[in-house]
Amino acid sequence: MYLDTGEKQECFGCEACVQVCEKDAVRMLEDEEGFRYPVIDTDRCIGCGLCRHVCPYGNTMQNTVQKYVWGGYHLDPGVRFDSTSGGAFSAIAETFCDENYAVFGAEAKGLLVFHSYITDIREVHRFQKSKYSQSNIGHSYRQCKEFLKEGKKVLFSGTPCQIAGLKKYLGNCDQERLLTVEVICEGVPSPLYMQKYECHLKKKYGCGIDAIDYRYTGKSLFASGRWDFEAEKTDISERRDETGRREQGDVQYADKRVRKKTIKRDRWVNPFWSIWLDHLMSRPSCYQCQFTTTDRAADITLGDLWGVHLYCPELYGRNGGASLVVCNTENGKDLFKKASKMMYGHELNLEEALKYQGPMYKHISENPMRGEFMHDLEGAMDYQSLNKKWAKRPTIRLLISKYIWGNRQKVAWWNIRNPKKKGSGA
Ligand SMILES: Cc1cc2nc3c(=O)[nH]c(=O)nc-3n(C[C@H](O)[C@H](O)[C@H](O)COP(=O)(O)OP(=O)(O)OC[C@H]3O[C@@H](n4cnc5c(N)ncnc54)[C@H](O)[C@@H]3O)c2cc1C
Ligand code: SF4
Ligand code: SF4
Ligand code: SF4
């Protein structure tokens, strides 16, 4: 394990070792790639071994229960719009939260992603939407344990390695009132890339990122309302002086006029997706992830219903987003069966769903050029040069297949030919 070997692929960054140490001798520090790893302060350490004991590395998951697999989307179009896939997470959270509860999830402020909790379901929007960056767990596991001891019900959501870290951390603590939800995860990218993007925006507009929505389905140039190739939406606040001059770089004006600005980039021309999905900048542990298996860490696994246009087009619902839900335990099944009343959809066959869900059975492979890419990312190469060198431009064929005769058109054609099986179209 990482704490003994120092091998980076053996550390998921789940932070269980940090939270278990009663001497506060473990801290997470960023390496040159921007990923965080635990470092032990030998002056404080008393050698109790707890940090090694809670590490989930090498611990395989075991779910012996027959899975319940489901596909569909939230009946409220607003919830669906505010979610990444079909809004299953919100339906689950709302069903779970009756009385004396807490919900944990990943929240974002600008580029910073961190875990926090809510005790009022009306704040669930804080956790909606995928933030494609590893979240800092902070004190969430400790807080979760305290809540469980106080008799609160807890819903904890995160990546599979975070759920595994939580479970190892909780150990013998009574987990009857705990429900865990994980996202299907094919890795987390180096935060340095988005930091470089922010530097680029600062130079150009004089301001950093207020908020980023990686998968926005609202109005954009081509992708409007389309979940399977959404846009990225970045909100910034430009500062100008009274004559309209924009602050740039180090230039600061005393009399500032803040003007909100939004930048949208369609999925197929956004260099972030090309570089990340080429597996050039994922965390080393993601290239050997032990959680990319059908034996899942959490009670419920959530993902995008990829392949929906091919094997269950009736769930496409005007391309507003659809969820794949895999219940791995009896608790997960019971809760989700109640939650699914807020959704439109039906049970699916696991084997069929797996055909379109690589991260459910295999981890990503490291791109052999990763070292060279990371060298450019860590170095002085600016954002535009980096993209020019590393991001692939979409081919004409791809653009035609996405924008002219894509999934949406294929489903529309299927609906014409199968009017009786047509989805609700919500
Ligand atoms: C890093 C990452 C990689 C993913 N990769 C895939 C994939 O390869 N294939 C696939 O089908 N789905 C993937 N997903 C899951 C997918 O994007 C949706 O998050 C999921 O389907 C839930 O969507 P929803 O509509 O139900 O709810 P939403 O409201 O969109 O879900 C929000 C949920 O995601 C959690 N979450 C958001 N960001 C993070 C984060 N950074 N770390 C931990 N938890 C987070 C929140 O805590 C909450 O539980 C990934 C998600 C993340 C965060
Ligand atoms: S061995 Fe014990 S005291 Fe030392 S870092 Fe690990 S948990 Fe902390
Ligand atoms: S407990 Fe988590 S953060 Fe600590 S070494 Fe193990 S995988 Fe890494
Ligand atoms: S791919 Fe695996 S190791 Fe990487 S963030 Fe996801 S669950 Fe954790």
Side-chain angles (χ1 to χ4, degrees), residues 196 203 374-386:
K196 216 156 222 183
K203 267 199 207 132
M374 290 308 296
H375 178 264
D376 289 344
L377 180 64
E378 288 160 34
M381 188 178 276
D382 67 50
Y383 176 72
Q384 277 161 317
S385 311
L386 190 78

Side-chain angles (χ1 to χ4, degrees), residues 359-403:
M360 286 283 285
Y361 58 88
K362 64 168 194 272
H363 55 70
I364 52 169
S365 304
E366 182 172 339
N367 189 316
M369 304 297 282
R370 182 182 186 277
E372 196 186 322
F373 171 79
M374 290 308 296
H375 178 264
D376 289 344
L377 180 64
E378 288 160 34
M381 188 178 276
D382 67 50
Y383 176 72
Q384 277 161 317
S385 311
L386 190 78
N387 291 333
K388 203 167 171 199
K389 180 169 173 189
W390 293 100
K392 287 186 187 135
R393 282 190 202 90
T395 60
I396 298 286
R397 201 173 161 190
L398 179 86
L399 292 177
I400 290 174
S401 80
K402 295 298 168 190
Y403 293 102

Side-chain angles (χ1 to χ4, degrees), residues 29-67:
L29 287 185
E30 257 178 37
D31 73 349
E32 59 292 346
E33 296 184 342
F35 296 113
R36 297 163 76 247
Y37 292 89
V39 176
I40 296 181
D41 177 346
T42 47
D43 289 339
R44 285 175 172 232
C45 173
I46 53 163
C48 68
L50 280 177
C51 49
R52 285 161 178 82
H53 178 71
V54 295
C55 180
Y57 178 75
N59 278 275
T60 47
M61 307 295 134
Q62 280 185 336
N63 297 130
T64 45
V65 175
Q66 174 81 31
K67 289 184 193 307

Side-chain angles (χ1 to χ4, degrees), residues 14-123:
C14 74
E15 302 187 42
C17 53
V18 179
Q19 295 195 42
V20 81
C21 180
E22 284 168 11
K23 297 290 166 195
D24 286 333
V26 195
R27 276 187 310 150
M28 297 298 281
L29 287 185
E30 257 178 37
D31 73 349
E32 59 292 346
E33 296 184 342
F35 296 113
R36 297 163 76 247
Y37 292 89
V39 176
I40 296 181
D41 177 346
T42 47
D43 289 339
R44 285 175 172 232
C45 173
I46 53 163
C48 68
L50 280 177
C51 49
R52 285 161 178 82
H53 178 71
V54 295
C55 180
Y57 178 75
N59 278 275
T60 47
M61 307 295 134
Q62 280 185 336
N63 297 130
T64 45
V65 175
Q66 174 81 31
K67 289 184 193 307
Y68 177 67
V69 185
W70 196 92
Y73 50 83
H74 205 290
L75 287 169
D76 179 341
V79 172
R80 203 172 165 209
F81 179 75
D82 290 336
S83 307
T84 312
S85 309
F89 171 71
S90 300
I92 291 167
E94 280 183 45
T95 310
F96 181 84
C97 296
D98 40 20
E99 54 177 32
N100 200 17
Y101 58 82
V103 179
F104 287 80
E107 188 175 356
K109 279 210 169 73
L111 285 185
L112 193 69
V113 183
F114 54 94
H115 253 69
S116 59
Y117 68 87
I118 56 170
T119 49
D120 182 344
I121 188 60
R122 284 171 297 183
E123 289 183 53

Side-chain angles (χ1 to χ4, degrees), residues 184 238 261 277 305 309 337 403 406:
I184 295 176
E238 267 189 325
K261 189 175 169 69
L277 296 183
L305 189 55
H309 61 292
K337 281 187 178 168
Y403 293 102

Side-chain angles (χ1 to χ4, degrees), residues 8 30 39 41 68 108 132 138 160 164 216 223 236 244 265 270 314 325 338 363 376 380 382 414 421 425:
K8 291 192 172 165
E30 257 178 37
V39 176
D41 177 346
Y68 177 67
Y132 290 107
Y216 173 71
I236 59 172
R265 296 188 294 185
N270 182 351
E314 69 283 3
V325 182
K338 289 180 202 147
H363 55 70
D376 289 344
D382 67 50
W414 180 88
K421 289 187 192 161

